[in-house]
Amino acid sequence: MLDLEVNAFVQRLAAAVQARGEPWIRDVVPALGGLALHFDPDFEGAVHDLAAELIDRCLKDGLPPAEDPGHEVEVPVCYDREFALDLEEVAAKTGVTPDEVVARHAAGAYRVLMIGFAPGHAYMSGLDAKLAVPRRASPRSQVPAGSVAIANEQSVIYPYAIAGGWNVIGRTPLVIFDAKREAPSLFALGDRVRWRPISRAEFEQLAKVSGR
């Protein structure tokens, strides 16, 4: 079960580890409930022992306070049935109408808990409990870029066309990840996310502007 307090603790621990600036660490990657340390494979040392000592020091010295909430990101979403591949099924599972699924999803206040699985793939808390359906029994071999999907207690956006098993209920025209941008990912840890329902016509217009 998703524990937001544990997630907040992991993010604070990640900040403490990064602040140490250890030369043998290449990257610090906080997840929903765990922390991955990527180390330099050419480093000559017992990295597992060093990692354990580093974490112990950070905990003993005290973690930094919880950071202020991140930026607020507004995401336009078209819930048109052509884009909402699983909307009807989600409605059937939850016992509400497709329009209510859309209304409940768009009304939530979301927060980015981690970036993972694929570059720019943000996992967000804030999903209405009524919509907490499990992942699809049969994942798709390819989910279209920008697909907005839900599963369990979270919502995600597929940054580009990749395989996935979450329930797709809409699509955004925004480019979620672009390695050429100064900030490649549209989202960062702690960002607050709000969905803005849009029409198919506005989707097409925004897609042209974003270069999708």
Side-chain angles (χ1 to χ4, degrees):
M1 185 176 180
L2 179 62
D3 191 320
L4 297 181
E5 290 187 6
V6 169
N7 180 258
F9 172 82
V10 168
Q11 292 191 22
R12 292 171 60 206
L13 179 58
V17 171
Q18 288 176 320
R20 298 276 174 167
E22 297 289 348
W24 52 275
I25 294 181
R26 286 203 172 170
D27 200 5
V28 180
V29 184
L32 294 178
L35 183 66
L37 302 182
H38 296 192
F39 62 88
D40 185 345
D42 295 326
F43 178 78
E44 296 181 0
V47 292
H48 293 89
D49 292 338
L50 289 173
E53 293 172 4
L54 174 60
I55 296 299
D56 188 56
R57 289 202 309 272
C58 288
L59 293 176
K60 287 182 178 178
D61 293 345
L63 301 182
E67 295 184 359
D68 293 333
H71 298 96
E72 181 164 310
V73 183
E74 182 183 85
V75 180
V77 182
C78 180
Y79 296 93
D80 187 273
R81 297 302 189 267
E82 181 180 346
F83 297 149
L85 307 178
D86 301 309
L87 182 58
E88 298 288 345
E89 185 175 346
V90 169
K93 287 181 177 178
T94 56
V96 300
T97 65
D99 287 346
E100 187 173 348
V101 171
V102 170
R104 285 176 177 268
H105 180 261
Y110 295 75
R111 177 175 170 271
V112 176
L113 302 177
M114 66 168 280
I115 308 290
F117 175 64
H121 193 274
Y123 290 76
M124 311 171 198
S125 65
L127 183 66
D128 188 305
K130 183 70 174 179
L131 306 182
V133 294
R135 298 185 186 187
R136 289 170 47 84
S138 300
R140 292 185 172 90
S141 60
Q142 189 174 83
V143 179
S147 291
V148 176
I150 60 175
N152 301 320
E153 303 172 37
Q154 300 171 63
S155 189
V156 299
I157 306 176
Y158 286 85
Y160 36 82
I162 50 176
W166 289 50
N167 304 279
V168 178
I169 62 170
R171 193 178 302 176
T172 180
L174 301 182
V175 176
I176 303 303
F177 183 85
D178 184 350
K180 297 178 182 179
R181 290 191 306 221
E182 182 177 351
S185 176
L186 183 64
F187 304 106
L189 284 177
D191 280 353
R192 291 159 291 142
V193 180
R194 291 192 176 277
W195 315 105
R196 179 171 68 85
I198 60 174
S199 66
R200 179 62 180 268
E202 187 174 356
F203 177 94
E204 300 294 349
Q205 182 180 17
L206 291 174
K208 290 180 181 179
V209 174
S210 67
R212 276 277 300 277

